[in-house]
Amino acid sequence: MEVRKNFGSKLGVVLAAAGSAVGLGNVWRFPTEVGNNGGAAFILIYLLCVILIGAPVMLSEFVVGRHTHTNTITAYRRLAPGSWWRFEGVAGVFVAFLILSYYVVISGWTLYYLIESARGSLSTDQDFTADFTSFVSHPWIPIVYAVLFMGMTHLVVARGVQSGIERCSKLMMPLLLLIIVVLVGCSFQMPGAHDGLSFLLKPDFSKVTTRVILSAMGQAFFSLSIAMGCLCTYASYFSSDTRLVRTALNVSIIDTAVAVLSGFIIFPAVFSVAGVEVNAGPGLVFITLPHVFQMAFSSYPLVGYLFSVLFYLLLLLAALTSAISLHESVTAYVLESTGMSRQKATLVVSLSCLVLSVACSLSFGPWSELKVFGMTIFELFDFAASKVIMLLSGIVICLFVGWRLDKKMVEAEVTNGGTVPFRLFRFYLFLIRFVVPIVISAIFVNELLR
Ligand code: TRP
């Protein structure tokens, strides 16, 4: 078996973990949720959720991962031998696998849109909805893109922690941040950008319902990649001097900044084109935005071209670093439990996951009539993963670290053996023991009753 490596630098740690968190959830799901939930007030509630729920859960996952220095399944098994807690690790890795299977399908779409926009064929289109629908429902073209995307993910994961994941994050995350800044600048220049900004900045609290609060919490969970073993696996590659609290804060801040800035890119652009709906749902980036690109830049085709190519490149980079983290949490388990080489373990995960991806992709087309509990395969995977297992597993992680693990050990872990003070330790403990489990249970019950 190969020697277990850690991340090589502090910057690598933050960028890899931020790469996991920053994904389709920020650039695609967040703006959609903001649009559907009334703008600025949603963003404020979202910020509270990140601080009071997201960051503490992330820190708890870091504690488990760094303390054990092993994959998520073995980590829980080792910390709680023979007890039911060990299934927490199994659930995490299983969900990561499930999410990866449909994540590559959507990421494949972004690859297709990047190529189409680079070829210039997006801007000549007439009917964006029909274009999108006929693409995603095609029996094999989206599968080809999903396979290509999985291939890219595979190549990075197969190269290992330092020369694959860390190197790739150090290369792609700065590029991603640069693209965001350029796009925000462009978006602000558009006529009518002002309305988009006030939608994002002026909270209207009359729109806030419990439903909105619950959506914000769910979004915080999804966006921060918590409770699926991804961050726990990454933390197992942290060295003993990595500061857990600071890393959790940095990652939460970067992730939130990217989400809010994506809003700053998308809404001024959308508002600048009359007649385009803000609450356009999941089609926002694949249907509404190409339309916006075409209309807004009709007199400056080159700017429109660059804007759309950069936008889809941004989406693709964000998706790739997240897919890598999902892949790695499964691969680390296969690798360490079977003693296979990393190459082989990566291949096993890529291929078996693609089988599920094919089913997900077909569920947008030929298999769209195939329903389980009234949902297509894609909807079922997403529901099972992000609405059921993820939330339950968030509760379990907090209860595990808050009640089952030795308090002294947790404190030693978050303070690096007492060398970095953490004054809010008691408050953190209060959050994970009481606040987070109660709040997540509320989300869960609400989702079930919907
Ligand atoms: N958090 C990433 C995003 O915002 C995606 C991601 C990585 C994820 N791991 C996850 C989402 C686990 C859900 C579950 O897109």
Side-chain angles (χ1 to χ4, degrees):
M1 195 143 93
E2 62 173 42
V3 181
R4 208 169 201 281
K5 279 208 177 125
N6 285 337
F7 288 120
S9 66
K10 283 190 189 127
L11 186 68
V13 163
V14 174
L15 291 185
S20 168
V22 173
L24 296 175
N26 304 59
V27 192
W28 169 64
R29 200 171 188 270
F30 181 77
T32 310
E33 292 279 302
V34 172
N36 287 337
N37 290 299
F42 175 86
I43 299 183
L44 284 180
I45 297 167
Y46 176 80
L47 293 181
L48 277 181
C49 293
V50 169
I51 297 165
L52 293 179
I53 298 174
V57 178
M58 187 183 291
L59 185 57
S60 309
E61 280 205 76
F62 283 172
V63 167
V64 174
R66 212 252 315 253
H67 187 74
T68 52
H69 284 297
T70 182
N71 67 81
T72 311
I73 292 188
T74 315
Y76 283 90
R77 213 183 272 154
R78 205 177 279 169
L79 287 173
S83 76
W84 287 95
W85 293 109
R86 68 185 191 282
F87 289 107
E88 170 56 26
V90 180
V93 172
F94 174 71
V95 175
F97 187 74
L98 212 59
I99 293 177
L100 181 63
S101 75
Y102 66 80
Y103 209 77
V104 294
V105 174
I106 313 285
S107 306
W109 299 353
T110 69
L111 181 60
Y112 170 81
Y113 270 78
L114 172 64
I115 294 175
E116 287 297 291
S117 59
R119 289 174 51 210
S121 33
L122 271 192
S123 52
T124 53
D125 233 306
Q126 295 307 319
D127 186 345
F128 294 98
T129 312
D131 197 46
F132 176 72
T133 324
S134 74
F135 167 66
V136 301
S137 61
H138 193 281
W140 55 267
I141 298 181
I143 296 179
V144 172
Y145 284 93
V147 171
L148 281 176
F149 182 83
M150 181 63 104
M152 294 157 71
T153 312
H154 175 97
L155 287 180
V156 177
V157 176
R159 300 197 58 152
V161 175
Q162 280 194 4
S163 37
I165 301 173
E166 184 171 356
R167 182 126 60 86
C168 163
S169 313
K170 277 183 169 167
L171 208 76
M172 298 205 301
M173 291 306 287
L175 182 61
L176 182 143
L177 297 176
L178 182 72
I179 296 180
I180 290 187
V181 174
V182 173
L183 290 183
V184 171
C186 284
S187 201
F188 279 13
Q189 306 297 322
M190 293 186 170
H194 185 78
D195 295 337
L197 288 182
S198 62
F199 177 75
L200 284 173
L201 295 177
K202 290 208 188 108
D204 174 3
F205 286 103
S206 67
K207 298 224 177 80
V208 177
T209 58
T210 50
R211 180 77 244 161
V212 171
I213 300 176
L214 295 171
S215 309
M217 288 174 192
Q219 171 61 20
F221 244 73
F222 184 89
S223 185
L224 294 170
S225 301
I226 44 187
M228 276 83 41
C230 289
L231 294 177
C232 182
T233 305
Y234 274 15
S236 75
Y237 306 125
F238 291 180
S239 58
S240 54
D241 61 355
T242 302
R243 297 178 171 206
L244 300 189
V245 178
R246 188 183 281 183
T247 308
L249 284 180
N250 283 341
V251 173
S252 307
I253 291 170
I254 295 176
D255 185 71
T256 308
V258 171
V260 173
L261 288 176
S262 301
F264 280 138
I265 295 172
I266 291 173
F267 289 105
V270 170
F271 273 87
S272 72
V273 175
V276 176
E277 289 284 316
V278 189
N279 52 352
L284 189 69
V285 299
F286 296 111
I287 299 172
T288 315
L289 275 189
H291 188 68
V292 169
F293 294 148
Q294 190 190 45
M295 310 260 293
F297 297 108
S298 52
S299 34
Y300 305 98
L302 184 64
V303 182
Y305 174 80
L306 287 178
F307 195 102
S308 60
V309 173
L310 279 183
F311 181 80
Y312 289 110
L313 181 62
L314 165 71
L315 212 53
L316 184 72
L317 291 178
L320 191 56
T321 46
S322 299
I324 289 168
S325 73
L326 289 161
H327 199 306
E328 174 64 22
S329 59
V330 188
T331 302
Y333 170 65
V334 175
L335 178 81
E336 290 171 357
S337 64
T338 62
M340 280 181 194
S341 70
R342 176 168 273 272
Q343 262 71 20
K344 227 190 222 168
T346 315
L347 193 65
V348 168
V349 176
S350 298
L351 291 181
S352 48
C353 194
L354 275 177
V355 175
L356 291 186
S357 305
V358 168
C360 282
S361 185
L362 288 175
S363 76
F364 287 96
W367 291 3
S368 61
E369 293 308 312
L370 181 73
K371 300 266 166 85
V372 186
F373 305 122
M375 293 177 270
T376 65
I377 298 176
F378 170 81
E379 288 164 349
L380 180 72
F381 282 10
D382 184 49
F383 179 83
S386 64
K387 302 243 163 76
V388 184
I389 310 176
M390 196 165 126
L391 295 178
L392 285 179
S393 125
I395 300 178
V396 177
I397 290 173
C398 286
L399 295 178
F400 182 70
V401 176
W403 297 99
R404 159 82 202 222
L405 290 185
D406 177 24
K407 207 168 78 182
K408 291 259 169 339
M409 171 241 148
V410 176
E411 187 163 14
E413 205 56 60
V414 295
T415 58
N416 288 358
T419 56
V420 263
F422 179 34
R423 271 194 233 108
L424 295 177
F425 182 70
R426 286 184 167 279
F427 181 57
Y428 159 69
L429 217 55
F430 172 71
L431 287 179
I432 61 169
R433 282 184 165 181
F434 302 102
V435 178
V436 180
I438 292 172
V439 170
I440 300 176
S441 309
I443 304 180
F444 189 58
V445 170
N446 179 78
E447 290 294 341
L448 277 190
L449 296 182
R450 251 175 97 186

